[in-house]
Amino acid sequence: MSTPGHDAALLGQGFYWQDIQAGQRFRTIRRTVTETDLVNFISVTGMLEAIFIDAEFEGGAIGGRPVPAALTQCLIEGLLFQTMIQGTGLALLEMSLKAIAPVRVGDTIWAVVTVTEVKPTSKHNRAIVSSEIEVYSTRDERVLTYTAKRMLAGRSG
């Protein structure tokens, strides 16, 4: 029995390592950070810090409804999972993160990904892909940067 649409191009498939090279740049779509995002994230992670759970907290260094830098990074990773590495990402091997400016509930974020290295492995048609990710907010302000090393699958055949 054949799968309907098997002969059609697959939407949403990530890049195989053979399809990318050092120097390539990609931009994610934009995503607005919501109060629900904040509440769900701090609840599931236990990041119940006063600046995140008290909308009127006055003792912090950041005004408004700030969100953890980890949430910002996770939302960007989600955008990458749905696009660049969907079905081809095998492992996140290493990451280094730097928070530059606060992100608040209601901010819209997106990222620019620059591939810095593609290094094929000796086994199983895989490669280690390194990239730099710059995250921007509503005001076109760079708010977060991180580097990531991932293992990506190769094209079969």
Side-chain angles (χ1 to χ4, degrees):
M1 174 182 232
S2 111
T3 304
H6 187 65
D7 58 338
L10 180 63
L11 293 174
Q13 177 71 39
F15 294 108
Y16 294 106
W17 69 263
Q18 296 98 329
D19 300 329
I20 57 178
Q21 60 187 345
Q24 275 186 291
R25 291 172 38 110
F26 305 95
R27 182 177 46 85
T28 68
I29 62 171
R30 298 162 48 102
R31 187 195 192 290
T32 300
V33 182
T34 67
E35 179 77 15
T36 302
D37 294 329
L38 172 61
V39 170
N40 286 340
F41 186 81
I42 64 174
S43 296
V44 77
T45 62
M47 291 186 180
L48 301 172
E49 178 69 31
I51 64 171
F52 304 135
I53 64 172
D54 182 350
E56 297 177 16
F57 183 68
E58 295 180 9
I62 302 170
R65 293 287 286 147
V67 303
L71 171 57
T72 301
Q73 185 265 334
C74 285
L75 291 172
I76 294 300
E77 283 294 293
L79 294 174
L80 295 177
F81 279 29
Q82 296 169 43
T83 55
M84 186 176 181
I85 58 177
Q86 179 66 266
T88 59
L90 300 174
L92 175 62
L93 303 173
E94 185 178 312
M95 189 184 74
S96 176
L97 180 141
K98 180 177 182 182
I100 299 167
V103 171
R104 296 172 181 87
V105 168
D107 284 353
T108 298
I109 59 172
W110 69 95
V112 175
V113 178
T114 303
V115 177
T116 57
E117 183 179 37
V118 178
K119 186 176 176 183
T121 67
S122 61
K123 295 182 182 179
H124 308 297
N125 193 20
R126 300 172 177 177
I128 306 305
V129 177
S130 300
S131 58
E132 295 176 353
I133 300 96
E134 295 181 308
V135 182
Y136 296 88
S137 75
T138 302
R139 298 161 298 284
D140 289 340
E141 174 183 29
R142 192 169 59 152
V143 294
L144 190 93
T145 60
Y146 66 102
T147 59
K149 280 189 180 182
R150 307 174 198 279
M151 183 179 292
L152 291 186
R155 201 177 304 100
S156 60

